């Protein structure tokens, strides 16, 4: 059985020098995958990914995730091809419907069709055979092909999704499904059940699609300080994913107040409302031993990759060092069933 992977999810708000430094450290500490978020109003992820490809030799790299509303699949295919070439075949394709796009006036109609057809469009274009594609949303004229060589025609696909229909679709198409914004092991059997109809329809083996779990992470020897910082960092994401987890009953009034304080720019105030038991379901936080225990529960529940998200620590470099030196050695990574 393949060992469970450990990844880092980085926000796209750093300098090139910082990405080079962090990627070098991450690879040296045994991290398997480096992802860069494509969150609204942050820098596009590709420049950071290209810089990390330049200074690494082993880690897999990808955006988590591009979306087919703010970027056409043609552009996604080109950026993916550039990353795959720069990393000598270490890129993955990360796609999701996207979040907060209404803030820039983008609507998101028919998300399943957009995602499904974006996948087909991108891989048809990378294949270079000029077969074309006509969907309900996107169209690729027969005979149209890229005018440059690509590293691979089929970099592995990761779809970020929570909902039953989108996850079932991922079960038929994807190599991996990412549940973003959770550290809740109870979500693993839920997602496995949601994947099964798609896997079955595509003639795939049950459990063939790997489940990736990622969330805000703050690890430090000062566990109390780490958890205070995690509350602030997770508040913005809790407003998005708090309603998506069917295993957790987040009081409506609490979620509404958290969202209101985040909207007002009061992230500390929003975070102060999050109780310990809720924090542990939506973030990795505390001492290395606490974070390792959280990650182990996810591995035991069947996660194929645990992704420690930004900011990793009170200081990101120190957080990566603690993950590499203290968290990873404490994990039994052969326990996953994903």
């Amino acid at each position: 059985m393949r060992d469970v992977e450990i990844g880092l999810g980085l926000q796209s708000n750093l300098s090139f020098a910082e990405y080079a430094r962090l990627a070098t450290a991450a690879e040296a500490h045994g991290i398997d995958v480096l992802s860069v978020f494509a969150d609204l109003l942050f820098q596009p992820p590709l420049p950071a990914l290209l810089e990390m490809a330049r200074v690494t030799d082993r880690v897999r790299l990808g955006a988590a995730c591009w979306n087919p509303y703010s970027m056409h699949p043609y552009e996604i295919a080109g950026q993916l091809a550039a990353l795959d070439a720069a990393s000598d075949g270490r890129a993955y394709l990360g796609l999701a419907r996207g979040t907060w796009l209404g803030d820039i006036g983008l609507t998101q109609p028919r998300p399943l069709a957009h995602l499904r057809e974006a996948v087909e469009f991108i891989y048809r274009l990378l294949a270079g055979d000029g077969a074309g594609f006509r969907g309900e949303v996107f169209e690729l004229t027969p005979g149209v092909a890229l005018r440059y060589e690509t590293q691979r025609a089929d970099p592995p696909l990761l779809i970020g999704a929570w909902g039953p229909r989108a996850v079932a679709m991922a079960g038929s198409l994807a190599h991996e499904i990412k549940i973003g914004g959770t550290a809740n092991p109870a979500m693993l059997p839920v997602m496995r059940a949601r994947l099964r109809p798609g896997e079955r329809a595509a003639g795939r083996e049950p459990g063939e699609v790997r489940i990736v779990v990622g969330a805000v992470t703050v690890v430090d020897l000062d566990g109390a300080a780490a958890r205070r910082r995690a509350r602030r960092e997770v508040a913005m994401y809790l407003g998005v994913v708090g309603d998506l987890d069917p295993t957790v009953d987040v009081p409506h009034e609490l979620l509404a107040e958290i969202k209101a304080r985040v909207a007002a720019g009061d992230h500390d105030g929003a975070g102060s409302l999050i109780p310990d038991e809720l924090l542990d379901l939506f973030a990795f936080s505390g001492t290395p031993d606490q974070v390792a225990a959280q990650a182990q529960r996810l591995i035991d529940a069947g996660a194929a990759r645990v992704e420690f998200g930004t900011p990793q620590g009170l200081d990101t470099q120190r957080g990566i060092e603690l993950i590499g030196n203290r968290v990873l050695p404490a994990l039994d990574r052969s326990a996953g069933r994903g």
Side-chain angles (χ1 to χ4, degrees), residues 217-231:
T217 303
V218 186
V219 57
D220 195 84
L221 298 180
D222 185 341
R227 289 176 70 79
R228 283 195 300 273
R229 174 72 181 276
R231 282 184 166 85

Side-chain angles (χ1 to χ4, degrees), residues 169-308:
M169 182 188 70
S172 68
L173 297 174
H175 176 254
E176 296 177 319
I177 178 86
K178 181 180 177 183
I179 327 171
T182 187
N184 181 9
M187 275 303 301
L188 271 296
V190 172
M191 296 301 279
R192 183 56 66 204
R194 291 179 177 181
L195 285 164
R196 198 166 296 123
E199 291 174 326
R200 184 168 54 244
R204 308 174 92 176
E205 291 294 322
E208 186 171 332
V209 178
R210 294 161 50 85
I211 299 177
V212 180
V213 180
V216 163
T217 303
V218 186
V219 57
D220 195 84
L221 298 180
D222 185 341
R227 289 176 70 79
R228 283 195 300 273
R229 174 72 181 276
R231 282 184 166 85
R232 171 186 169 84
E233 297 293 335
V234 82
M236 177 175 69
Y237 297 103
L238 187 59
V240 176
V241 302
D243 286 329
L244 299 178
D245 188 329
T247 74
V248 180
D249 183 17
V250 182
H252 175 75
E253 298 78 7
L254 174 61
L255 200 57
E257 182 62 21
I258 290 171
K259 290 179 180 179
R261 294 196 184 192
V262 168
D266 182 12
H267 291 262
D268 285 326
S272 70
L273 300 174
I274 302 172
D276 281 339
E277 61 273 14
L278 200 60
L279 179 65
D280 287 339
L281 297 177
F282 292 97
F284 301 100
S285 67
T287 65
D289 286 346
Q290 288 175 298
V291 170
Q294 285 185 276
Q296 190 65 55
R297 287 191 288 271
L298 290 163
I299 292 169
D300 293 343
R305 180 162 93 244
V306 175
E307 185 173 273
F308 296 118

Side-chain angles (χ1 to χ4, degrees), residues 32-325:
D32 301 298
V33 184
L34 291 172
S35 301
V36 176
F37 302 146
D39 289 344
L40 185 71
L41 300 180
F42 287 90
Q43 298 176 96
L46 182 64
L49 288 164
L50 292 175
E51 182 65 9
M52 294 195 295
R54 184 183 66 82
V55 299
T56 58
D57 298 306
R58 177 186 53 79
V59 293
R60 297 197 295 121
L61 299 157
C65 293
W66 283 305
N67 76 79
Y69 292 99
S70 64
M71 186 180 293
H72 192 279
Y74 162 74
E75 299 287 354
I76 296 174
Q79 295 200 18
L80 173 65
L83 177 60
D84 208 37
S87 63
D88 194 24
R90 291 183 282 131
Y92 73 82
L93 169 60
L95 287 176
R97 63 170 294 175
T99 305
W100 303 302
L101 298 185
D103 290 350
I104 56 170
L106 290 180
T107 60
Q108 294 169 284
R110 304 168 65 191
L112 291 183
H114 273 75
L115 282 174
R116 183 178 61 252
E117 293 184 15
V119 170
E120 185 160 0
F121 188 107
I122 290 164
Y123 285 122
R124 292 274 185 105
L125 200 56
L126 292 178
D129 57 13
F133 166 65
R134 181 185 293 273
E136 299 174 13
V137 179
F138 299 113
E139 180 178 347
L140 180 62
T141 301
V144 171
L146 295 175
R147 299 180 182 180
Y148 56 88
E149 294 295 323
T150 59
Q151 182 79 21
R152 291 181 295 172
D154 58 349
L157 171 65
L158 175 146
I159 289 180
W162 279 77
R165 294 174 63 207
V167 175
M169 182 188 70
S172 68
L173 297 174
H175 176 254
E176 296 177 319
I177 178 86
K178 181 180 177 183
I179 327 171
T182 187
N184 181 9
M187 275 303 301
L188 271 296
V190 172
M191 296 301 279
R192 183 56 66 204
R194 291 179 177 181
L195 285 164
R196 198 166 296 123
E199 291 174 326
R200 184 168 54 244
R204 308 174 92 176
E205 291 294 322
E208 186 171 332
V209 178
R210 294 161 50 85
I211 299 177
V212 180
V213 180
V216 163
T217 303
V218 186
V219 57
D220 195 84
L221 298 180
D222 185 341
R227 289 176 70 79
R228 283 195 300 273
R229 174 72 181 276
R231 282 184 166 85
R232 171 186 169 84
E233 297 293 335
V234 82
M236 177 175 69
Y237 297 103
L238 187 59
V240 176
V241 302
D243 286 329
L244 299 178
D245 188 329
T247 74
V248 180
D249 183 17
V250 182
H252 175 75
E253 298 78 7
L254 174 61
L255 200 57
E257 182 62 21
I258 290 171
K259 290 179 180 179
R261 294 196 184 192
V262 168
D266 182 12
H267 291 262
D268 285 326
S272 70
L273 300 174
I274 302 172
D276 281 339
E277 61 273 14
L278 200 60
L279 179 65
D280 287 339
L281 297 177
F282 292 97
F284 301 100
S285 67
T287 65
D289 286 346
Q290 288 175 298
V291 170
Q294 285 185 276
Q296 190 65 55
R297 287 191 288 271
L298 290 163
I299 292 169
D300 293 343
R305 180 162 93 244
V306 175
E307 185 173 273
F308 296 118
T310 193
Q312 283 80 40
L314 298 177
D315 171 83
T316 296
Q317 179 84 30
R318 178 60 173 155
I320 291 173
E321 290 173 357
L322 287 172
I323 290 169
N325 292 332

